[in-house]
Amino acid sequence: MNVRRVEIKSLATYVPPRLLTNADLEKMVDTTDEWIMQRTGIRQRHIVDPGVATSDLAAEAAKEAIKRAGLKPEDIDLIIVGTVTPDMLFPSTACLVQHKIGATRAWGFDLSAACSAFTYSLTVGSQLVAAGGVKNALVIGADVMSSIIDYTDRATCVLFGDGAGAVVLAPSSDPNIGILDFEHMIDGSGGNALCMPAGGSRMPASHETVDQRLHYVKQDGQTVFKFAVRNTGAICERLLKRNNLTGHDLDLFVSHQANKRIIMSAAERIGMPEEKVVINIDRFGNTTAATIPLALNDAVESGRLKKGHLIMLTSVGAGFTVGSLLVRWGL
Ligand code: UT7
């Protein structure tokens, strides 16, 4: 499919040190550790200190990813930052990261696809490298969800955390290794089910919008849950079928981490046994664009993900946005 095959040359992640546990949340809203664990699988999340922004987390992960790729910041040609919590509406977080890490030759942009931002950014970045337009692409998924979460709303505040992950993409040194195929879709009819109503052009910030707490994430959990269960499994099936594969051919299933129940139902649908599914939502919560690199990093560090493994990355997020990639791992 690709003009030239593109591989993930390195991976690095960063989470802020401060923890927000279910016990902490029990003191803030009417919830219990038992409810959160049963319904979501989350035990704790990492949360930034006041004043720390998405570009700060992104830059930490990016610097380490560049180092691990054996490159210097000035070797980077392109920076894509997948995020739903940019430092500001503009300039783009990619510009802020470029300046912070000294990637003086790079161009770049932010990509808005909520929880699918990492899968979308991987596809866009790898296609630009595949076409020969750029050589080394830095793809980052980073979010400071705590900046847009209403910590008086128990329906959302228990779900999210902060974090960042970065990969460097480059032409594959081994043609068997790299990003093999991708599939994406959007369904804008679900736009209202998960959104931040105010602060954009539809409803600019005003005293009223702040009083009504409209600059926070609003979610119709059940609607998103049903869409995610249906579509995570479905997109994986389509991608596998197109490549004449089944879930049995995969070594690891690395899904966006929004809810353990969503991940397991998708895994079951494509026939992935539990031991081949990465779950780390218990430690990080839903970090939106950062969940997949955080999950990949865990799999590498625990020895579950090895060079030559065939893996599937997949996500569903606000929009709705859906994505899935088939990758032959090379690290
Ligand atoms: O990553 C972006 C995409 N996002 C997602 O994929 C999230 C998808 N949705 C979900 O994961 C689930 O819908 C949630 C975890 C958000 C909620 O789980 P649920 O099983 O759908 O619960 P629910 O919203 O139907 O609520 C069940 C009950 C309600 O009480 P009643 O009406 O049955 O009395 C809620 O008020 O649980 C109540 N509830 C809570 N109770 C304790 C809602 N939030 C909480 C809470 N603690 N934090």
Side-chain angles (χ1 to χ4, degrees):
M1 176 202 64
N2 286 337
V3 178
R4 57 179 176 178
R5 182 136 289 157
V6 176
E7 69 175 327
I8 293 174
K9 261 189 100 150
S10 67
L11 163 71
T13 61
Y14 179 80
V15 289
R18 186 152 68 100
L19 287 179
L20 180 68
T21 64
N22 290 356
D24 296 328
L25 285 160
E26 281 177 348
K27 294 180 204 131
M28 295 159 65
V29 289
D30 180 16
T31 192
T32 59
D33 174 51
E34 193 194 358
W35 190 96
I36 302 171
M37 277 303 289
Q38 263 179 16
R39 301 284 177 135
T40 71
I42 305 169
R43 193 180 300 281
Q44 64 176 39
R45 323 101 193 101
H46 290 253
I47 299 288
V48 298
D49 286 324
V52 176
T54 296
S55 71
D56 300 322
L57 309 191
E60 290 302 322
K63 282 187 283 189
E64 187 58 27
I66 292 168
K67 203 165 94 186
R68 290 182 187 178
L71 299 173
K72 297 194 179 65
E74 52 271 31
D75 297 323
I76 298 299
D77 302 295
L78 169 71
I79 302 172
I80 305 177
V81 180
T83 188
V84 77
T85 52
D87 291 26
M88 295 168 267
L89 274 181
F90 70 90
S92 73
T93 307
C95 291
L96 305 176
V97 170
Q98 179 265 345
H99 181 60
K100 271 195 176 110
I101 66 175
T104 46
R105 286 184 43 257
W107 65 286
F109 53 89
D110 288 3
L111 190 150
S112 174
C115 296
S116 292
F118 191 77
T119 59
Y120 281 33
S121 298
L122 262 189
T123 294
V124 171
S126 65
Q127 288 298 293
L128 282 164
V129 177
V134 299
K135 186 170 173 226
N136 297 311
L138 178 65
V139 167
I140 304 169
D143 271 299
V144 174
M145 293 307 290
S146 60
S147 66
I148 56 167
I149 291 300
D150 182 351
Y151 284 98
T152 66
D153 175 13
R154 70 174 183 174
T156 51
C157 74
V158 302
L159 305 174
F160 294 94
D162 303 336
V167 295
V168 172
L169 302 177
S172 300
S173 36
D174 171 347
N176 297 314
I177 296 289
I179 293 165
L180 307 181
D181 200 3
F182 61 87
E183 169 103 10
H184 297 284
M185 64 163 272
I186 56 173
D187 180 355
S189 69
N192 288 333
L194 180 50
C195 64
M196 190 174 97
S201 56
R202 175 73 58 203
M203 216 187 283
S206 68
H207 287 292
E208 286 74 30
T209 60
V210 172
D211 288 345
Q212 290 167 33
R213 309 181 82 76
L214 296 174
H215 302 267
Y216 291 123
V217 171
K218 308 286 177 199
Q219 176 171 243
D220 170 357
Q222 291 261 334
T223 300
V224 180
F225 186 88
K226 284 179 198 152
F227 183 90
V229 165
R230 220 173 32 246
N231 286 283
T232 311
I235 200 162
C236 293
E237 267 181 354
R238 286 205 295 279
L239 189 55
L240 287 170
K241 198 166 171 213
R242 191 164 70 219
N243 287 275
N244 297 317
L245 298 167
T246 71
H248 300 288
D249 299 307
L250 298 175
D251 294 297
L252 209 61
F253 183 64
V254 186
S255 169
H256 168 56
Q257 310 274 311
N259 188 314
K260 190 176 174 186
R261 289 183 289 151
I262 297 172
I263 301 169
M264 292 318 299
S265 83
E268 200 176 310
R269 180 158 167 185
I270 60 166
M272 296 292 294
E274 195 161 353
E275 63 270 18
K276 288 188 175 178
V277 180
V278 181
I279 303 275
N280 68 353
I281 191 172
D282 51 320
R283 289 186 293 126
F284 299 107
N286 181 351
T287 54
T288 303
T291 57
I292 290 177
L294 284 169
L296 286 170
N297 193 56
D298 267 4
V300 170
E301 285 187 349
S302 63
R304 292 176 75 193
L305 177 53
K306 295 199 167 74
K307 187 169 183 163
H309 276 176
L310 183 62
I311 64 173
M312 178 156 271
L313 313 181
T314 192
S315 63
V316 168
F320 294 115
T321 54
V322 189
S324 202
L325 290 95
L326 205 50
V327 179
R328 179 75 66 184
W329 193 250
L331 298 177

mmCIF file with all atom_site columns, all heavy atoms in Angstrom, residues 15-37:
data_model
loop_
_atom_site.group_PDB
_atom_site.id
_atom_site.type_symbol
_atom_site.label_atom_id
_atom_site.label_alt_id
_atom_site.label_comp_id
_atom_site.label_asym_id
_atom_site.label_entity_id
_atom_site.label_seq_id
_atom_site.pdbx_PDB_ins_code
_atom_site.Cartn_x
_atom_site.Cartn_y
_atom_site.Cartn_z
_atom_site.occupancy
_atom_site.B_iso_or_equiv
_atom_site.pdbx_formal_charge
_atom_site.auth_seq_id
_atom_site.auth_comp_id
_atom_site.auth_asym_id
_atom_site.auth_atom_id
_atom_site.pdbx_PDB_model_num
ATOM 1   N N   . VAL A 1 15 ? 4.459   11.135 31.870 1.00 0.00 ? 15 VAL A N   1
ATOM 2   C CA  . VAL A 1 15 ? 3.271   11.495 32.652 1.00 0.00 ? 15 VAL A CA  1
ATOM 3   C C   . VAL A 1 15 ? 3.716   12.353 33.834 1.00 0.00 ? 15 VAL A C   1
ATOM 4   O O   . VAL A 1 15 ? 4.806   12.149 34.372 1.00 0.00 ? 15 VAL A O   1
ATOM 5   C CB  . VAL A 1 15 ? 2.487   10.263 33.181 1.00 0.00 ? 15 VAL A CB  1
ATOM 6   C CG1 . VAL A 1 15 ? 1.770   9.541  32.059 1.00 0.00 ? 15 VAL A CG1 1
ATOM 7   C CG2 . VAL A 1 15 ? 3.378   9.304  33.951 1.00 0.00 ? 15 VAL A CG2 1
ATOM 8   N N   . PRO A 1 16 ? 2.892   13.315 34.218 1.00 0.00 ? 16 PRO A N   1
ATOM 9   C CA  . PRO A 1 16 ? 3.266   14.138 35.375 1.00 0.00 ? 16 PRO A CA  1
ATOM 10  C C   . PRO A 1 16 ? 3.264   13.291 36.639 1.00 0.00 ? 16 PRO A C   1
ATOM 11  O O   . PRO A 1 16 ? 2.491   12.337 36.739 1.00 0.00 ? 16 PRO A O   1
ATOM 12  C CB  . PRO A 1 16 ? 2.170   15.213 35.424 1.00 0.00 ? 16 PRO A CB  1
ATOM 13  C CG  . PRO A 1 16 ? 1.020   14.626 34.681 1.00 0.00 ? 16 PRO A CG  1
ATOM 14  C CD  . PRO A 1 16 ? 1.576   13.688 33.659 1.00 0.00 ? 16 PRO A CD  1
ATOM 15  N N   . PRO A 1 17 ? 4.111   13.607 37.623 1.00 0.00 ? 17 PRO A N   1
ATOM 16  C CA  . PRO A 1 17 ? 4.257   12.711 38.778 1.00 0.00 ? 17 PRO A CA  1
ATOM 17  C C   . PRO A 1 17 ? 3.040   12.643 39.712 1.00 0.00 ? 17 PRO A C   1
ATOM 18  O O   . PRO A 1 17 ? 2.803   11.610 40.319 1.00 0.00 ? 17 PRO A O   1
ATOM 19  C CB  . PRO A 1 17 ? 5.463   13.293 39.538 1.00 0.00 ? 17 PRO A CB  1
ATOM 20  C CG  . PRO A 1 17 ? 5.783   14.607 38.912 1.00 0.00 ? 17 PRO A CG  1
ATOM 21  C CD  . PRO A 1 17 ? 5.100   14.694 37.594 1.00 0.00 ? 17 PRO A CD  1
ATOM 22  N N   . ARG A 1 18 ? 2.247   13.705 39.786 1.00 0.00 ? 18 ARG A N   1
ATOM 23  C CA  . ARG A 1 18 ? 1.176   13.740 40.798 1.00 0.00 ? 18 ARG A CA  1
ATOM 24  C C   . ARG A 1 18 ? 0.046   12.753 40.467 1.00 0.00 ? 18 ARG A C   1
ATOM 25  O O   . ARG A 1 18 ? -0.395  12.667 39.322 1.00 0.00 ? 18 ARG A O   1
ATOM 26  C CB  . ARG A 1 18 ? 0.592   15.154 40.882 1.00 0.00 ? 18 ARG A CB  1
ATOM 27  C CG  . ARG A 1 18 ? -0.419  15.333 41.999 1.00 0.00 ? 18 ARG A CG  1
ATOM 28  C CD  . ARG A 1 18 ? -0.462  16.766 42.491 1.00 0.00 ? 18 ARG A CD  1
ATOM 29  N NE  . ARG A 1 18 ? -1.005  17.681 41.502 1.00 0.00 ? 18 ARG A NE  1
ATOM 30  C CZ  . ARG A 1 18 ? -2.260  18.132 41.515 1.00 0.00 ? 18 ARG A CZ  1
ATOM 31  N NH1 . ARG A 1 18 ? -3.102  17.732 42.448 1.00 0.00 ? 18 ARG A NH1 1
ATOM 32  N NH2 . ARG A 1 18 ? -2.669  18.986 40.600 1.00 0.00 ? 18 ARG A NH2 1
ATOM 33  N N   . LEU A 1 19 ? -0.426  12.017 41.472 1.00 0.00 ? 19 LEU A N   1
ATOM 34  C CA  . LEU A 1 19 ? -1.483  11.026 41.272 1.00 0.00 ? 19 LEU A CA  1
ATOM 35  C C   . LEU A 1 19 ? -2.821  11.522 41.807 1.00 0.00 ? 19 LEU A C   1
ATOM 36  O O   . LEU A 1 19 ? -2.877  12.187 42.843 1.00 0.00 ? 19 LEU A O   1
ATOM 37  C CB  . LEU A 1 19 ? -1.148  9.730  42.005 1.00 0.00 ? 19 LEU A CB  1
ATOM 38  C CG  . LEU A 1 19 ? -0.045  8.845  41.417 1.00 0.00 ? 19 LEU A CG  1
ATOM 39  C CD1 . LEU A 1 19 ? 0.163   7.621  42.308 1.00 0.00 ? 19 LEU A CD1 1
ATOM 40  C CD2 . LEU A 1 19 ? -0.398  8.417  39.997 1.00 0.00 ? 19 LEU A CD2 1
ATOM 41  N N   . LEU A 1 20 ? -3.890  11.171 41.092 1.00 0.00 ? 20 LEU A N   1
ATOM 42  C CA  . LEU A 1 20 ? -5.251  11.378 41.588 1.00 0.00 ? 20 LEU A CA  1
ATOM 43  C C   . LEU A 1 20 ? -5.878  9.988  41.665 1.00 0.00 ? 20 LEU A C   1
ATOM 44  O O   . LEU A 1 20 ? -6.115  9.343  40.635 1.00 0.00 ? 20 LEU A O   1
ATOM 45  C CB  . LEU A 1 20 ? -6.029  12.279 40.612 1.00 0.00 ? 20 LEU A CB  1
ATOM 46  C CG  . LEU A 1 20 ? -7.471  12.604 40.985 1.00 0.00 ? 20 LEU A CG  1
ATOM 47  C CD1 . LEU A 1 20 ? -7.541  13.493 42.230 1.00 0.00 ? 20 LEU A CD1 1
ATOM 48  C CD2 . LEU A 1 20 ? -8.179  13.299 39.817 1.00 0.00 ? 20 LEU A CD2 1
ATOM 49  N N   . THR A 1 21 ? -6.105  9.512  42.878 1.00 0.00 ? 21 THR A N   1
ATOM 50  C CA  . THR A 1 21 ? -6.593  8.141  43.054 1.00 0.00 ? 21 THR A CA  1
ATOM 51  C C   . THR A 1 21 ? -8.119  8.124  43.197 1.00 0.00 ? 21 THR A C   1
ATOM 52  O O   . THR A 1 21 ? -8.752  9.173  43.414 1.00 0.00 ? 21 THR A O   1
ATOM 53  C CB  . THR A 1 21 ? -5.991  7.512  44.321 1.00 0.00 ? 21 THR A CB  1
ATOM 54  O OG1 . THR A 1 21 ? -6.476  8.260  45.447 1.00 0.00 ? 21 THR A OG1 1
ATOM 55  C CG2 . THR A 1 21 ? -4.469  7.546  44.302 1.00 0.00 ? 21 THR A CG2 1
ATOM 56  N N   . ASN A 1 22 ? -8.677  6.923  43.107 1.00 0.00 ? 22 ASN A N   1
ATOM 57  C CA  . ASN A 1 22 ? -10.119 6.803  43.333 1.00 0.00 ? 22 ASN A CA  1
ATOM 58  C C   . ASN A 1 22 ? -10.479 7.254  44.750 1.00 0.00 ? 22 ASN A C   1
ATOM 59  O O   . ASN A 1 22 ? -11.546 7.836  44.973 1.00 0.00 ? 22 ASN A O   1
ATOM 60  C CB  . ASN A 1 22 ? -10.565 5.350  43.120 1.00 0.00 ? 22 ASN A CB  1
ATOM 61  C CG  . ASN A 1 22 ? -10.496 4.951  41.650 1.00 0.00 ? 22 ASN A CG  1
ATOM 62  O OD1 . ASN A 1 22 ? -10.186 5.786  40.798 1.00 0.00 ? 22 ASN A OD1 1
ATOM 63  N ND2 . ASN A 1 22 ? -10.779 3.690  41.370 1.00 0.00 ? 22 ASN A ND2 1
ATOM 64  N N   . ALA A 1 23 ? -9.582  6.999  45.697 1.00 0.00 ? 23 ALA A N   1
ATOM 65  C CA  . ALA A 1 23 ? -9.838  7.444  47.088 1.00 0.00 ? 23 ALA A CA  1
ATOM 66  C C   . ALA A 1 23 ? -9.903  8.967  47.145 1.00 0.00 ? 23 ALA A C   1
ATOM 67  O O   . ALA A 1 23 ? -10.749 9.531  47.855 1.00 0.00 ? 23 ALA A O   1
ATOM 68  C CB  . ALA A 1 23 ? -8.732  6.913  48.001 1.00 0.00 ? 23 ALA A CB  1
ATOM 69  N N   . ASP A 1 24 ? -9.028  9.651  46.392 1.00 0.00 ? 24 ASP A N   1
ATOM 70  C CA  . ASP A 1 24 ? -9.092  11.130 46.342 1.00 0.00 ? 24 ASP A CA  1
ATOM 71  C C   . ASP A 1 24 ? -10.443 11.577 45.790 1.00 0.00 ? 24 ASP A C   1
ATOM 72  O O   . ASP A 1 24 ? -11.067 12.513 46.308 1.00 0.00 ? 24 ASP A O   1
ATOM 73  C CB  . ASP A 1 24 ? -8.000  11.698 45.415 1.00 0.00 ? 24 ASP A CB  1
ATOM 74  C CG  . ASP A 1 24 ? -6.591  11.415 45.919 1.00 0.00 ? 24 ASP A CG  1
ATOM 75  O OD1 . ASP A 1 24 ? -6.408  11.362 47.151 1.00 0.00 ? 24 ASP A OD1 1
ATOM 76  O OD2 . ASP A 1 24 ? -5.683  11.246 45.077 1.00 0.00 ? 24 ASP A OD2 1
ATOM 77  N N   . LEU A 1 25 ? -10.898 10.909 44.715 1.00 0.00 ? 25 LEU A N   1
ATOM 78  C CA  . LEU A 1 25 ? -12.159 11.313 44.071 1.00 0.00 ? 25 LEU A CA  1
ATOM 79  C C   . LEU A 1 25 ? -13.362 11.060 44.971 1.00 0.00 ? 25 LEU A C   1
ATOM 80  O O   . LEU A 1 25 ? -14.346 11.796 44.921 1.00 0.00 ? 25 LEU A O   1
ATOM 81  C CB  . LEU A 1 25 ? -12.316 10.585 42.730 1.00 0.00 ? 25 LEU A CB  1
ATOM 82  C CG  . LEU A 1 25 ? -11.411 11.142 41.627 1.00 0.00 ? 25 LEU A CG  1
ATOM 83  C CD1 . LEU A 1 25 ? -11.206 10.135 40.500 1.00 0.00 ? 25 LEU A CD1 1
ATOM 84  C CD2 . LEU A 1 25 ? -11.969 12.451 41.059 1.00 0.00 ? 25 LEU A CD2 1
ATOM 85  N N   . GLU A 1 26 ? -13.257 10.010 45.811 1.00 0.00 ? 26 GLU A N   1
ATOM 86  C CA  . GLU A 1 26 ? -14.348 9.736  46.765 1.00 0.00 ? 26 GLU A CA  1
ATOM 87  C C   . GLU A 1 26 ? -14.585 10.932 47.685 1.00 0.00 ? 26 GLU A C   1
ATOM 88  O O   . GLU A 1 26 ? -15.689 11.147 48.163 1.00 0.00 ? 26 GLU A O   1
ATOM 89  C CB  . GLU A 1 26 ? -14.008 8.500  47.618 1.00 0.00 ? 26 GLU A CB  1
ATOM 90  C CG  . GLU A 1 26 ? -14.238 7.183  46.903 1.00 0.00 ? 26 GLU A CG  1
ATOM 91  C CD  . GLU A 1 26 ? -13.826 5.973  47.748 1.00 0.00 ? 26 GLU A CD  1
ATOM 92  O OE1 . GLU A 1 26 ? -13.148 6.171  48.784 1.00 0.00 ? 26 GLU A OE1 1
ATOM 93  O OE2 . GLU A 1 26 ? -14.165 4.841  47.355 1.00 0.00 ? 26 GLU A OE2 1
ATOM 94  N N   . LYS A 1 27 ? -13.505 11.707 47.912 1.00 0.00 ? 27 LYS A N   1
ATOM 95  C CA  . LYS A 1 27 ? -13.642 12.886 48.790 1.00 0.00 ? 27 LYS A CA  1
ATOM 96  C C   . LYS A 1 27 ? -14.163 14.104 48.027 1.00 0.00 ? 27 LYS A C   1
ATOM 97  O O   . LYS A 1 27 ? -14.571 15.090 48.618 1.00 0.00 ? 27 LYS A O   1
ATOM 98  C CB  . LYS A 1 27 ? -12.282 13.232 49.411 1.00 0.00 ? 27 LYS A CB  1
ATOM 99  C CG  . LYS A 1 27 ? -11.770 12.170 50.372 1.00 0.00 ? 27 LYS A CG  1
ATOM 100 C CD  . LYS A 1 27 ? -10.416 12.569 50.958 1.00 0.00 ? 27 LYS A CD  1
ATOM 101 C CE  . LYS A 1 27 ? -9.652  11.334 51.410 1.00 0.00 ? 27 LYS A CE  1
ATOM 102 N NZ  . LYS A 1 27 ? -8.283  11.283 50.937 1.00 0.00 ? 27 LYS A NZ  1
ATOM 103 N N   . MET A 1 28 ? -14.116 14.049 46.688 1.00 0.00 ? 28 MET A N   1
ATOM 104 C CA  . MET A 1 28 ? -14.480 15.222 45.885 1.00 0.00 ? 28 MET A CA  1
ATOM 105 C C   . MET A 1 28 ? -15.909 15.152 45.349 1.00 0.00 ? 28 MET A C   1
ATOM 106 O O   . MET A 1 28 ? -16.581 16.161 45.219 1.00 0.00 ? 28 MET A O   1
ATOM 107 C CB  . MET A 1 28 ? -13.491 15.351 44.706 1.00 0.00 ? 28 MET A CB  1
ATOM 108 C CG  . MET A 1 28 ? -12.061 15.632 45.167 1.00 0.00 ? 28 MET A CG  1
ATOM 109 S SD  . MET A 1 28 ? -10.793 15.207 43.928 1.00 0.00 ? 28 MET A SD  1
ATOM 110 C CE  . MET A 1 28 ? -11.149 16.341 42.620 1.00 0.00 ? 28 MET A CE  1
ATOM 111 N N   . VAL A 1 29 ? -16.356 13.948 44.950 1.00 0.00 ? 29 VAL A N   1
ATOM 112 C CA  . VAL A 1 29 ? -17.712 13.770 44.400 1.00 0.00 ? 29 VAL A CA  1
ATOM 113 C C   . VAL A 1 29 ? -18.333 12.506 44.991 1.00 0.00 ? 29 VAL A C   1
ATOM 114 O O   . VAL A 1 29 ? -17.643 11.721 45.647 1.00 0.00 ? 29 VAL A O   1
ATOM 115 C CB  . VAL A 1 29 ? -17.685 13.649 42.839 1.00 0.00 ? 29 VAL A CB  1
ATOM 116 C CG1 . VAL A 1 29 ? -17.341 14.970 42.187 1.00 0.00 ? 29 VAL A CG1 1
ATOM 117 C CG2 . VAL A 1 29 ? -16.752 12.541 42.380 1.00 0.00 ? 29 VAL A CG2 1
ATOM 118 N N   . ASP A 1 30 ? -19.630 12.326 44.708 1.00 0.00 ? 30 ASP A N   1
ATOM 119 C CA  . ASP A 1 30 ? -20.351 11.174 45.246 1.00 0.00 ? 30 ASP A CA  1
ATOM 120 C C   . ASP A 1 30 ? -20.043 9.937  44.386 1.00 0.00 ? 30 ASP A C   1
ATOM 121 O O   . ASP A 1 30 ? -20.774 9.612  43.450 1.00 0.00 ? 30 ASP A O   1
ATOM 122 C CB  . ASP A 1 30 ? -21.856 11.502 45.223 1.00 0.00 ? 30 ASP A CB  1
ATOM 123 C CG  . ASP A 1 30 ? -22.696 10.356 45.766 1.00 0.00 ? 30 ASP A CG  1
ATOM 124 O OD1 . ASP A 1 30 ? -22.124 9.451  46.426 1.00 0.00 ? 30 ASP A OD1 1
ATOM 125 O OD2 . ASP A 1 30 ? -23.912 10.342 45.509 1.00 0.00 ? 30 ASP A OD2 1
ATOM 126 N N   . THR A 1 31 ? -18.922 9.288  44.698 1.00 0.00 ? 31 THR A N   1
ATOM 127 C CA  . THR A 1 31 ? -18.532 8.102  43.933 1.00 0.00 ? 31 THR A CA  1
ATOM 128 C C   . THR A 1 31 ? -17.813 7.125  44.858 1.00 0.00 ? 31 THR A C   1
ATOM 129 O O   . THR A 1 31 ? -17.545 7.454  46.023 1.00 0.00 ? 31 THR A O   1
ATOM 130 C CB  . THR A 1 31 ? -17.619 8.485  42.737 1.00 0.00 ? 31 THR A CB  1
ATOM 131 O OG1 . THR A 1 31 ? -17.489 7.366  41.862 1.00 0.00 ? 31 THR A OG1 1
ATOM 132 C CG2 . THR A 1 31 ? -16.233 8.938  43.175 1.00 0.00 ? 31 THR A CG2 1
ATOM 133 N N   . THR A 1 32 ? -17.526 5.938  44.336 1.00 0.00 ? 32 THR A N   1
ATOM 134 C CA  . THR A 1 32 ? -16.786 4.952  45.137 1.00 0.00 ? 32 THR A CA  1
ATOM 135 C C   . THR A 1 32 ? -15.717 4.292  44.262 1.00 0.00 ? 32 THR A C   1
ATOM 136 O O   . THR A 1 32 ? -15.881 4.196  43.040 1.00 0.00 ? 32 THR A O   1
ATOM 137 C CB  . THR A 1 32 ? -17.721 3.830  45.656 1.00 0.00 ? 32 THR A CB  1
ATOM 138 O OG1 . THR A 1 32 ? -18.317 3.193  44.514 1.00 0.00 ? 32 THR A OG1 1
ATOM 139 C CG2 . THR A 1 32 ? -18.798 4.373  46.575 1.00 0.00 ? 32 THR A CG2 1
ATOM 140 N N   . ASP A 1 33 ? -14.673 3.845  44.930 1.00 0.00 ? 33 ASP A N   1
ATOM 141 C CA  . ASP A 1 33 ? -13.619 3.088  44.237 1.00 0.00 ? 33 ASP A CA  1
ATOM 142 C C   . ASP A 1 33 ? -14.242 1.884  43.527 1.00 0.00 ? 33 ASP A C   1
ATOM 143 O O   . ASP A 1 33 ? -13.903 1.581  42.376 1.00 0.00 ? 33 ASP A O   1
ATOM 144 C CB  . ASP A 1 33 ? -12.587 2.635  45.287 1.00 0.00 ? 33 ASP A CB  1
ATOM 145 C CG  . ASP A 1 33 ? -11.543 1.716  44.690 1.00 0.00 ? 33 ASP A CG  1
ATOM 146 O OD1 . ASP A 1 33 ? -10.959 2.091  43.665 1.00 0.00 ? 33 ASP A OD1 1
ATOM 147 O OD2 . ASP A 1 33 ? -11.329 0.618  45.242 1.00 0.00 ? 33 ASP A OD2 1
ATOM 148 N N   . GLU A 1 34 ? -15.200 1.243  44.191 1.00 0.00 ? 34 GLU A N   1
ATOM 149 C CA  . GLU A 1 34 ? -15.830 0.046  43.633 1.00 0.00 ? 34 GLU A CA  1
ATOM 150 C C   . GLU A 1 34 ? -16.558 0.370  42.318 1.00 0.00 ? 34 GLU A C   1
ATOM 151 O O   . GLU A 1 34 ? -16.412 -0.326 41.316 1.00 0.00 ? 34 GLU A O   1
ATOM 152 C CB  . GLU A 1 34 ? -16.813 -0.519 44.662 1.00 0.00 ? 34 GLU A CB  1
ATOM 153 C CG  . GLU A 1 34 ? -17.287 -1.906 44.335 1.00 0.00 ? 34 GLU A CG  1
ATOM 154 C CD  . GLU A 1 34 ? -18.494 -2.304 45.161 1.00 0.00 ? 34 GLU A CD  1
ATOM 155 O OE1 . GLU A 1 34 ? -18.950 -1.513 46.024 1.00 0.00 ? 34 GLU A OE1 1
ATOM 156 O OE2 . GLU A 1 34 ? -18.987 -3.422 44.928 1.00 0.00 ? 34 GLU A OE2 1
ATOM 157 N N   . TRP A 1 35 ? -17.337 1.473  42.303 1.00 0.00 ? 35 TRP A N   1
ATOM 158 C CA  . TRP A 1 35 ? -18.066 1.859  41.078 1.00 0.00 ? 35 TRP A CA  1
ATOM 159 C C   . TRP A 1 35 ? -17.068 2.123  39.957 1.00 0.00 ? 35 TRP A C   1
ATOM 160 O O   . TRP A 1 35 ? -17.224 1.633  38.837 1.00 0.00 ? 35 TRP A O   1
ATOM 161 C CB  . TRP A 1 35 ? -18.924 3.109  41.329 1.00 0.00 ? 35 TRP A CB  1
ATOM 162 C CG  . TRP A 1 35 ? -19.877 3.404  40.176 1.00 0.00 ? 35 TRP A CG  1
ATOM 163 C CD1 . TRP A 1 35 ? -21.186 3.042  40.082 1.00 0.00 ? 35 TRP A CD1 1
ATOM 164 C CD2 . TRP A 1 35 ? -19.569 4.097  38.941 1.00 0.00 ? 35 TRP A CD2 1
ATOM 165 N NE1 . TRP A 1 35 ? -21.720 3.453  38.880 1.00 0.00 ? 35 TRP A NE1 1
ATOM 166 C CE2 . TRP A 1 35 ? -20.743 4.111  38.148 1.00 0.00 ? 35 TRP A CE2 1
ATOM 167 C CE3 . TRP A 1 35 ? -18.431 4.692  38.414 1.00 0.00 ? 35 TRP A CE3 1
ATOM 168 C CZ2 . TRP A 1 35 ? -20.818 4.705  36.891 1.00 0.00 ? 35 TRP A CZ2 1
ATOM 169 C CZ3 . TRP A 1 35 ? -18.497 5.281  37.148 1.00 0.00 ? 35 TRP A CZ3 1
ATOM 170 C CH2 . TRP A 1 35 ? -19.674 5.290  36.400 1.00 0.00 ? 35 TRP A CH2 1
ATOM 171 N N   . ILE A 1 36 ? -16.034 2.910  40.257 1.00 0.00 ? 36 ILE A N   1
ATOM 172 C CA  . ILE A 1 36 ? -15.087 3.295  39.198 1.00 0.00 ? 36 ILE A CA  1
ATOM 173 C C   . ILE A 1 36 ? -14.376 2.057  38.656 1.00 0.00 ? 36 ILE A C   1
ATOM 174 O O   . ILE A 1 36 ? -14.250 1.867  37.438 1.00 0.00 ? 36 ILE A O   1
ATOM 175 C CB  . ILE A 1 36 ? -14.063 4.339  39.713 1.00 0.00 ? 36 ILE A CB  1
ATOM 176 C CG1 . ILE A 1 36 ? -14.776 5.586  40.250 1.00 0.00 ? 36 ILE A CG1 1
ATOM 177 C CG2 . ILE A 1 36 ? -13.107 4.738  38.598 1.00 0.00 ? 36 ILE A CG2 1
ATOM 178 C CD1 . ILE A 1 36 ? -13.858 6.567  40.983 1.00 0.00 ? 36 ILE A CD1 1
ATOM 179 N N   . MET A 1 37 ? -13.919 1.179  39.542 1.00 0.00 ? 37 MET A N   1
ATOM 180 C CA  . MET A 1 37 ? -13.200 -0.021 39.103 1.00 0.00 ? 37 MET A CA  1
ATOM 181 C C   . MET A 1 37 ? -14.110 -0.928 38.271 1.00 0.00 ? 37 MET A C   1
ATOM 182 O O   . MET A 1 37 ? -13.711 -1.422 37.213 1.00 0.00 ? 37 MET A O   1
ATOM 183 C CB  . MET A 1 37 ? -12.660 -0.793 40.308 1.00 0.00 ? 37 MET A CB  1
ATOM 184 C CG  . MET A 1 37 ? -11.350 -0.269 40.849 1.00 0.00 ? 37 MET A CG  1
ATOM 185 S SD  . MET A 1 37 ? -10.022 -0.222 39.611 1.00 0.00 ? 37 MET A SD  1
ATOM 186 C CE  . MET A 1 37 ? -9.684  -1.963 39.390 1.00 0.00 ? 37 MET A CE  1
#
